[in-house]
Amino acid sequence: MMDTDVSMDSAICVAGSRFVRAGLLATNCNDNLVIFVSSGGEALEIEDSSFQVKSDIFFRGGDVLRTDEPVIDGGDFPSIYQSARFGNFCYQFENLPPGDYFVDLHFAEIVNTNGPKGMRVFDVFIQEEKVLSELDIYSIVRANKPLQLVDVRVSVTKDGKIAVSFEGVHGSPMINGICIRRAPQLAASEVKHGGSITCNSCAAEIELSSAQRKLIRIKFAAKYDKKIEELSTQCQLKSDECYEAWMSLKSVNKQLEDVRAELDKRIFQNYYQDQAMEKQAQKLRDVSNMYEQDKKFWATSVNELDNKIKNMKQEHFQLSREAHKSANSIPDLNKMVMAVQAIVAECDDLKLKYSEELEKRKKLYNQIQEAKGNIRVFCRCRPLSKGEVMSGYATIVDFNAAKDGELAILTGGSTKKIFKFDRVYTPNGDQVDIFADASPMVLSVLDGYHVCIFAYGQTGTGKTFTMEGTDENRGVNYRTLEQLFKIAEERKEIFTYNISVSVLEVYNEQIRDLLASSPTSKKLEIRQASEGVHHVPGIVEAKVENIKEVWDVLQAGSNGRAVGSNNVNEHSSRSHCMLCIMVRAKNLVNSECTNSKLWLVDLAGSERLAKTEVQGERLKEAQNINRSLSALGDVISSLATKSSHVPYRNSKLTHLLQDSLGGDSKTLMFVQISPSEQDMSETLSSLNFATRVRGVELGPAKRQIDVGELQKMKMMLDKAKQESNSKDEALRKLEENIQNLEGKAKSKDQICRNHKDKVNELELHLESKTELCRQLEKQSLQLSEEVKKKDEIGSTLQQKVKELENKVKEQELKESKTLQHKVKQLENKLKEKTQDFELHTSILKHKIKELENKVMMQGESLGCQSLEKKNKAVEEKLRQAAIIIGCAEQPRGVIPNEQKVWSRTENMCGGTSLRSSGLLKGADSLRELGRKRELQSRGGIENNFLLSTSLIDHNIKGGRGMDHSKALTRVTRSTKVTTAQRPLSSSSSSSNRISREQDTGVVVKERDRPRVWSR
């Protein structure tokens, strides 16, 4: 506010005049009014009042500007401030009676409504005399607010003229209204601005020339400038003194912080070293325990394997006996196995052929697409509107060769300009036909390629209708997602698809998320991922499972889009709407994963400002739309000429579409045109741009394979290989043992076979010597019986084989279940132990806090002398307890949080001094730490830790007070005798030194004893 007042006072160059930050009131329109002119506006008559506003007829040069936006604090006549004259202009009022007048000037900033300051700065002259210097309306009252300069006294001579001129310093000057009023006569003693002064001695009026008046004003200005300079020098001196004091304070604070940091660092070094030693000891204990457990586990596993090997040998012996009996049934089984293998091989061949045919189809389709060009252009023309038909506008588009992809524009007379595209649709073209030509792009998305489909054209040509459509006649967006779900359902046996949708818009070069539940002030920016893909972090990705969810998402995005009206289109899109469909696919046959995107972009319409006649916010929107579309044209030009640098980052739109226009994707463009002759220039511009787009060669598209999944699979394979290697090593050892056992078994089997052969030979000799006739008869009978028996044996063997297979499966299932049950039991035991451990630690922490509170309460009530006596008694008890406990077998495990001994006697005796100065406390603790280290180097106390008084003070401030008389009895080690620190007084320090020397012998004797913790 002070800066605004200073800028107001510095702008006024005439004494007596002033600024008013409000609009014109009816009460100010009194009988002294001569004329009021509304600059750039029409005449205005007010009922029941003599006040009249005349139209703008006294100007020379300049332009007129009007706005419909409301004016804040516009007074009784706000319409005056909604019109203005700007540019190079001046005003001249004639035929005025000689005399003194007041000239009031009315201003309001209605153009640069968004600032910033300094966009419009100008000077004002009345009768060739500067009355305002470097006026900046926006810096004083901001936008759409009135500002009056009143009571500027002007003298009119016999010529009867008042001249008001404006001179721009930065930007064009502007005025909203000029008011001329009759000025009252000044008192005799006052300075006459009409050109005379009164003598103090003779009371005579003396006429002053213009040079004398200017000299008087210069003297007054020099006087005030001198005062301003003196005040500014004083202000600078004060600011320099403040800055020096501030810098000295910062340096002192920095030194203090450095001292505190060094103190804390040295204190915690010992703490961390002790903690690290304890952790290493714990790790060694854990490793030894794990070694013992593994040793027991492998011993039991070896015994189990030995038992299994014995059982397997027995089963092998039985199976070998039964296999000899079922030799005749083996050929049938072999035939069945061969038939099954043949069927499996045939099925594998069919799968391989199907996958090969699928790959060929994809390859051929992609070759066709690449042969046609990665950017395909479809042209669609809307029908004439009712207003155009009523106005009698003719059609300038010829669709005779539309089937061949050509259309002609009648530029005048019989001349035609022909354009050729991949598809041309007449005004009678249906949404179904358009999507049928664009649907092959859907297959490319599901196959892992990036695809971009966008609509381009002037405003009002049907881009939103083509992309979104209506409830009865859906557009490309809805039909594309419907086709995606249909094909995904057909391929569900080979592929799995995850589809998610994001809807965003580029509005005034800012990215807005249309699916966000609530608007956020955080800016959405484009980032580049590690794979080179551009994305927008923080955007909502809605996962869709069916077409109903898709329609809800599309409706939500369409409702949130910015829409406005102008002279060309009543429902004009004021932003670029971008629908992003992300498809994550996985091949169930070869486990290949792909991540692909489909951009469906509805660009805002290009428009000419002179034709749409937009103002204010709509003007800013139109400028940003044209700027982004021109950036898209620059990108297309660079791609068409194969320039080394493509300016993708000149606009948010082109930056988002960089992946689609950069050569790794397939792109389709719908160019929308109007058939009306009044839109001929825009139609030709759109068609020329589409022709340039069609000529761009992006190169072959690339599949977007998910590298992250491959890396995960590789890591899993590496782990599996390591596990398999370890298991193979164990199996190799087991196989060696089994081979040794099998060798022994084979040698025994060979001996048995030799004995059986000898027995068979003897039986043959005996049978040959018996009666041959009886044997032949018996053999005939036996052969018939044996045939029957063999048939029965074959059936029984088949049943036994099946039973054995079932038994093996049941045994494997039982073993796996038992192992899983054991693993779960171990996990449950581990969880119970961890819970018990956590419960134990929490109980110990709670007890420590209670002890600290009790110590603090008792320390406040007792004096320093009684505390020292208690400490000595407690130390004596601790020594006796340590000697008694030292005879125990092994120390129990303790919690790491209880392994530190803190001495607080310094805090007991020096409580007042500790609270007064934290820096002195740190110095005293450092001196005590040095003395302790000297005693340690001489073979004295080893594990006596000193707590920083700064930390004690911190604990006291934080509400964790402790009783100093019981601080030493909280946690201590039995192998080290804790001695009291030196108090601040000299008498107590000498007594502590004597007791410390007496205790040294006890410490040396007890050094080798096990450590025991006591409370």
Side-chain angles (χ1 to χ4, degrees):
M1 191 68 183
M2 292 292 293
D3 296 338
T4 305
D5 294 338
V6 170
S7 62
M8 290 173 58
D9 295 337
S10 62
I12 298 174
C13 299
V14 177
S17 58
R18 57 189 173 86
F19 277 121
V20 178
R21 299 182 189 177
L24 181 64
L25 300 176
T27 55
N28 297 333
C29 305
N30 49 23
D31 297 335
N32 294 328
L33 179 67
V34 177
I35 188 171
F36 191 99
V37 177
S38 176
S39 299
E42 302 294 335
L44 180 65
E45 293 185 2
I46 292 89
E47 297 180 358
D48 301 332
S49 176
S50 61
F51 177 71
Q52 293 182 355
V53 178
K54 292 189 177 182
S55 59
D56 194 7
I57 58 175
F58 300 96
F59 67 91
R60 291 182 183 177
D63 297 319
V64 176
L65 182 67
R66 295 184 178 89
T67 183
D68 295 333
E69 295 185 6
V71 178
I72 302 170
D73 296 333
D76 296 335
F77 312 104
S79 60
I80 295 172
Y81 301 99
Q82 291 179 335
S83 62
R85 180 165 296 278
F86 72 100
N88 187 11
F89 66 96
C90 66
Y91 280 85
Q92 185 167 347
F93 301 91
E94 299 179 350
N95 300 325
L96 295 173
D100 293 342
Y101 293 88
F102 280 141
V103 178
D104 301 339
L105 304 178
H106 297 261
F107 305 96
E109 182 58 66
I110 59 174
V111 178
N112 300 321
T113 56
N114 294 325
K117 298 178 181 179
M119 290 291 289
R120 188 190 308 280
V121 181
F122 56 93
D123 299 333
V124 181
F125 298 86
I126 299 178
Q127 301 292 55
E128 299 182 356
E129 181 182 354
K130 184 185 287 188
V131 296
L132 285 177
S133 176
E134 296 184 359
L135 174 64
D136 187 357
I137 305 170
Y138 186 85
S139 66
I140 299 174
V141 293
R142 303 297 177 187
N144 294 326
K145 290 184 179 180
L147 177 66
Q148 300 182 51
L149 177 66
V150 299
D151 297 342
V152 179
R153 183 176 288 272
V154 177
S155 297
V156 177
T157 58
K158 294 180 180 180
D159 58 358
K161 295 180 180 180
I162 295 178
V164 183
S165 60
F166 301 84
E167 183 176 341
V169 177
H170 187 276
S172 301
M174 184 174 66
I175 187 72
N176 297 80
I178 301 174
C179 177
I180 299 176
R181 299 179 286 116
R182 288 192 177 276
Q185 294 294 328
L186 293 175
S189 61
E190 294 180 352
V191 176
K192 303 296 182 178
H193 289 277
S196 62
I197 60 174
T198 304
C199 181
N200 293 326
S201 60
C202 61
E205 291 187 357
I206 303 171
E207 292 290 331
L208 295 176
S209 63
S210 60
Q212 291 175 341
R213 291 197 301 272
K214 288 183 179 179
L215 182 61
I216 293 171
R217 284 196 295 270
I218 290 169
K219 288 181 179 179
F220 279 108
K223 181 179 178 181
Y224 287 115
D225 289 339
K226 187 175 180 180
K227 289 183 179 179
I228 290 168
E229 288 178 358
E230 290 176 357
L231 291 173
S232 61
T233 53
Q234 291 178 4
C235 180
Q236 185 64 32
L237 290 173
K238 294 294 183 181
S239 61
D240 292 338
E241 291 175 0
C242 292
Y243 178 77
E244 290 175 358
W246 172 251
M247 292 303 293
S248 63
L249 181 61
K250 284 180 68 177
S251 63
V252 171
N253 288 333
K254 187 176 181 181
Q255 291 175 2
L256 182 61
E257 291 295 329
D258 293 339
V259 171
R260 287 178 179 173
E262 185 66 20
L263 181 62
D264 294 336
K265 182 178 178 182
R266 292 184 179 180
I267 288 168
F268 283 106
Q269 277 178 355
N270 295 328
Y271 168 76
Y272 289 135
Q273 288 175 359
D274 184 73
Q275 194 174 19
M277 291 288 291
E278 191 61 31
K279 286 182 179 178
Q280 288 179 359
Q282 185 65 30
K283 286 181 180 178
L284 288 173
R285 288 194 292 270
D286 294 336
V287 169
S288 63
N289 293 331
M290 289 175 66
Y291 175 75
E292 293 294 331
Q293 291 176 1
D294 291 338
K295 188 176 179 180
K296 293 178 181 178
F297 174 77
W298 285 114
T300 54
S301 62
V302 168
N303 294 329
E304 290 176 359
L305 287 172
D306 291 334
N307 295 328
K308 286 182 180 179
I309 289 167
K310 291 178 182 178
N311 295 329
M312 288 173 70
K313 283 182 179 180
Q314 293 177 0
E315 291 175 0
H316 179 264
F317 180 72
Q318 293 177 0
L319 289 172
S320 62
R321 288 178 62 187
E322 292 174 356
H324 286 297
K325 294 179 181 179
S326 61
N328 294 330
S329 62
I330 290 173
D332 296 331
L333 291 173
N334 291 332
K335 290 179 181 179
M336 291 174 66
V337 170
M338 293 295 291
V340 171
Q341 290 177 352
I343 292 170
V344 171
E346 186 177 357
C347 183
D348 292 335
D349 292 335
L350 289 173
K351 285 183 179 179
L352 183 62
K353 289 179 181 179
Y354 175 76
S355 61
E356 289 176 355
E357 288 296 325
L358 189 64
E359 290 294 328
K360 287 180 181 179
R361 184 188 63 78
K362 291 179 182 178
K363 189 174 181 181
L364 290 172
Y365 176 75
N366 291 327
Q367 288 176 356
I368 292 170
Q369 290 295 100
E370 290 169 3
K372 290 182 179 179
N374 284 332
I375 297 185
R376 304 182 67 193
V377 180
F378 294 170
C379 180
R380 187 180 188 184
C381 181
R382 67 166 176 83
L384 287 172
S385 63
K386 293 182 181 179
E388 292 172 341
V389 173
M390 293 291 291
S391 302
Y393 290 112
T395 302
I396 60 171
V397 184
D398 185 7
F399 298 99
N400 292 330
K403 294 182 179 180
D404 298 330
E406 293 183 358
L407 80 160
I409 303 297
L410 304 174
T411 57
S414 60
T415 58
K416 294 182 180 180
K417 190 170 183 180
I418 299 173
F419 297 88
K420 186 172 180 61
F421 302 102
D422 297 294
R423 291 284 189 279
V424 175
Y425 302 99
T426 63
N428 299 325
D430 193 15
Q431 299 276 65
V432 178
D433 299 331
I434 292 169
F435 180 73
D437 293 331
S439 61
M441 290 288 184
V442 177
L443 295 175
S444 299
V445 175
L446 294 177
D447 293 340
Y449 293 92
H450 286 332
V451 177
C452 178
I453 302 174
F454 65 94
Y456 176 87
Q458 75 172 106
T459 182
T461 54
K463 297 183 296 300
T464 304
F465 177 77
T466 299
M467 298 305 292
E468 297 181 2
T470 60
D471 294 346
E472 298 78 19
N473 198 4
R474 304 285 173 83
V476 174
N477 295 356
Y478 183 89
R479 295 175 187 271
T480 297
L481 284 160
E482 188 177 22
Q483 185 75 1
L484 280 176
F485 282 109
K486 183 178 179 182
I487 297 172
E489 182 66 22
E490 293 174 358
R491 297 183 181 180
K492 66 181 180 180
E493 295 181 0
I494 303 173
F495 294 90
T496 58
Y497 295 96
N498 292 324
I499 301 173
S500 56
V501 179
S502 297
V503 185
L504 53 89
E505 69 172 356
V506 179
Y507 176 75
N508 284 343
E509 285 302 304
Q510 296 292 329
I511 299 174
R512 293 168 56 185
D513 188 358
L514 299 181
L515 297 183
S517 58
S518 60
T520 178
S521 61
K522 183 179 180 182
K523 278 190 175 182
L524 296 175
E525 296 294 337
I526 304 166
R527 296 286 184 268
Q528 185 173 2
S530 59
E531 296 84 5
V533 180
H534 293 79
H535 68 105
V536 181
I539 197 168
V540 177
E541 294 183 4
K543 188 175 181 180
V544 290
E545 300 290 344
N546 50 51
I547 198 64
K548 183 180 181 301
E549 294 179 0
V550 169
W551 180 246
D552 294 338
V553 171
L554 295 180
Q555 284 291 99
S558 179
N559 293 335
R561 189 179 179 187
V563 178
S565 62
N566 54 36
N567 294 343
V568 179
N569 188 6
E570 185 178 359
H571 300 284
S572 176
S573 300
R574 312 308 297 169
S575 64
H576 308 296
C577 183
M578 308 180 74
L579 172 64
C580 181
I581 303 168
M582 288 148 285
V583 180
R584 296 174 178 85
K586 183 177 181 180
N587 192 330
L588 300 177
V589 177
N590 56 11
S591 299
E592 185 184 36
C593 298
T594 58
N595 283 335
S596 56
K597 287 184 181 180
L598 171 60
W599 284 99
L600 300 173
V601 185
D602 179 13
L603 298 176
S606 59
E607 55 191 46
R608 294 188 178 181
L609 302 181
K611 193 171 185 178
T612 56
E613 297 181 0
V614 293
Q615 296 178 2
E617 192 66 21
R618 295 288 177 264
L619 176 63
K620 181 181 178 182
E621 293 170 352
Q623 289 172 348
N624 286 317
I625 291 170
N626 292 337
R627 191 179 297 113
S628 60
L629 292 176
S630 64
L632 179 61
D634 295 339
V635 170
I636 295 299
S637 299
S638 299
L639 292 173
T641 57
K642 296 182 179 180
S643 175
S644 60
H645 172 68
V646 181
Y648 290 113
R649 295 179 180 269
N650 288 356
S651 174
K652 298 287 186 183
L653 174 65
T654 55
H655 198 180
L656 279 171
L657 296 179
Q658 181 174 355
D659 295 334
S660 301
L661 300 175
D664 291 340
S665 67
K666 300 179 181 181
T667 308
L668 170 63
M669 170 182 169
F670 286 102
V671 56
Q672 302 283 143
I673 60 173
S674 169
S676 177
E677 61 182 354
Q678 67 170 347
D679 300 326
M680 180 187 292
S681 60
E682 288 83 0
T683 301
L684 289 173
S685 176
S686 299
L687 292 174
N688 289 327
F689 178 78
T691 303
R692 282 189 292 151
V693 172
R694 190 169 179 265
V696 173
E697 295 179 3
L698 298 178
K702 298 178 183 178
R703 291 190 71 194
Q704 306 300 318
I705 299 173
D706 192 355
V707 183
E709 293 291 334
L710 292 176
Q711 292 178 353
K712 289 180 182 178
M713 294 296 291
K714 286 181 180 178
M715 292 174 66
M716 291 172 67
L717 285 173
D718 293 336
K719 290 182 180 178
K721 285 179 181 178
Q722 293 176 0
E723 292 176 358
S724 64
N725 290 333
S726 61
K727 290 179 180 178
D728 289 339
E729 185 66 24
L731 289 173
R732 186 179 62 78
K733 293 179 180 179
L734 293 173
E735 285 175 358
E736 290 177 358
N737 295 328
I738 292 168
Q739 286 177 0
N740 294 329
L741 296 171
E742 286 179 351
K744 293 178 182 179
K746 285 180 181 179
S747 62
K748 292 180 180 180
D749 290 336
Q750 188 66 31
I751 294 169
C752 292
R753 287 174 185 174
N754 294 331
H755 287 297
K756 286 180 180 179
D757 292 337
K758 289 179 181 181
V759 171
N760 290 330
E761 289 177 358
L762 292 171
E763 287 177 354
L764 290 172
H765 287 296
L766 289 171
E767 288 176 356
S768 63
K769 292 179 181 181
T770 58
E771 295 176 359
L772 296 174
C773 294
R774 292 178 181 178
Q775 287 181 357
L776 291 172
E777 290 177 358
K778 289 180 180 179
Q779 285 178 359
S780 63
L781 293 173
Q782 288 176 359
L783 287 170
S784 61
E785 291 177 357
E786 284 177 1
V787 169
K788 293 179 181 179
K789 288 180 180 180
K790 285 181 180 179
D791 292 336
E792 292 177 357
I793 289 167
S795 60
T796 54
L797 286 173
Q798 289 179 359
Q799 291 179 358
K800 286 182 179 180
V801 169
K802 290 181 180 179
E803 289 176 357
L804 289 171
E805 290 178 352
N806 293 328
K807 287 180 180 179
V808 170
K809 291 180 180 178
E810 289 176 358
Q811 287 179 357
E812 291 178 352
L813 290 171
K814 287 180 180 178
E815 289 177 356
S816 63
K817 287 181 179 178
T818 53
L819 289 172
Q820 290 177 359
H821 184 65
K822 288 180 180 179
V823 170
K824 289 182 179 178
Q825 287 179 351
L826 290 172
E827 289 178 352
N828 293 328
K829 287 180 180 179
L830 182 61
K831 288 180 181 178
E832 289 175 358
K833 288 182 179 180
T834 54
Q835 289 176 0
D836 294 337
F837 179 74
E838 291 175 355
L839 181 61
H840 186 58
T841 54
S842 62
I843 291 168
L844 288 175
K845 288 179 181 178
H846 184 66
K847 289 181 178 179
I848 289 166
K849 288 182 180 178
E850 290 179 353
L851 289 171
E852 287 176 353
N853 293 328
K854 289 180 181 179
V855 168
M856 189 64 189
M857 292 171 64
Q858 292 179 3
E860 291 175 355
S861 61
L862 298 177
C864 294
Q865 294 178 357
S866 60
L867 288 175
E868 288 178 357
K869 292 179 181 179
K870 287 184 178 181
N871 282 334
K872 290 178 181 179
V874 168
E875 286 174 1
E876 190 65 29
K877 289 179 182 179
L878 286 173
R879 291 191 191 99
Q880 294 175 3
I883 293 168
I884 293 168
I885 297 170
C887 298
E889 293 178 358
Q890 292 293 336
R892 292 178 296 176
V894 295
I895 299 169
N897 292 332
E898 297 179 2
Q899 293 175 5
K900 292 163 283 296
V901 180
W902 304 97
S903 176
R904 289 187 173 87
T905 55
E906 184 176 347
N907 191 20
M908 298 173 194
C909 299
T912 308
S913 62
L914 288 172
R915 293 187 186 93
S916 62
S917 175
L919 190 60
L920 291 174
K921 296 173 194 173
D924 292 338
S925 63
L926 287 173
R927 287 194 289 272
E928 289 293 321
L929 184 59
R931 291 167 185 162
K932 296 296 179 184
R933 288 180 178 171
E934 289 176 1
L935 290 174
Q936 289 176 6
S937 63
R938 296 171 187 171
I941 299 169
E942 292 179 357
N943 291 331
N944 192 16
F945 290 87
L946 179 63
L947 177 62
S948 171
T949 54
S950 63
L951 288 174
I952 295 169
D953 189 51
H954 176 70
N955 289 331
I956 292 170
K957 290 179 180 177
R960 296 179 60 189
M962 296 180 67
D963 188 354
H964 307 297
S965 64
K966 295 184 180 180
L968 288 171
T969 63
R970 183 165 63 94
V971 178
T972 181
R973 300 185 181 182
S974 63
T975 59
K976 311 296 185 291
V977 179
T978 305
T979 58
Q981 294 181 7
R982 302 185 185 185
L984 295 177
S985 62
S986 60
S987 60
S988 59
S989 64
S990 61
S991 62
N992 282 329
R993 194 179 301 112
I994 294 167
S995 62
R996 203 178 296 115
E997 292 173 357
Q998 291 174 358
D999 296 337
T1000 304
V1002 179
V1003 172
V1004 173
K1005 291 178 182 179
E1006 297 177 354
R1007 185 179 302 165
D1008 297 329
R1009 292 183 181 178
R1011 298 181 180 179
V1012 178
W1013 294 84
S1014 64
R1015 289 187 175 277

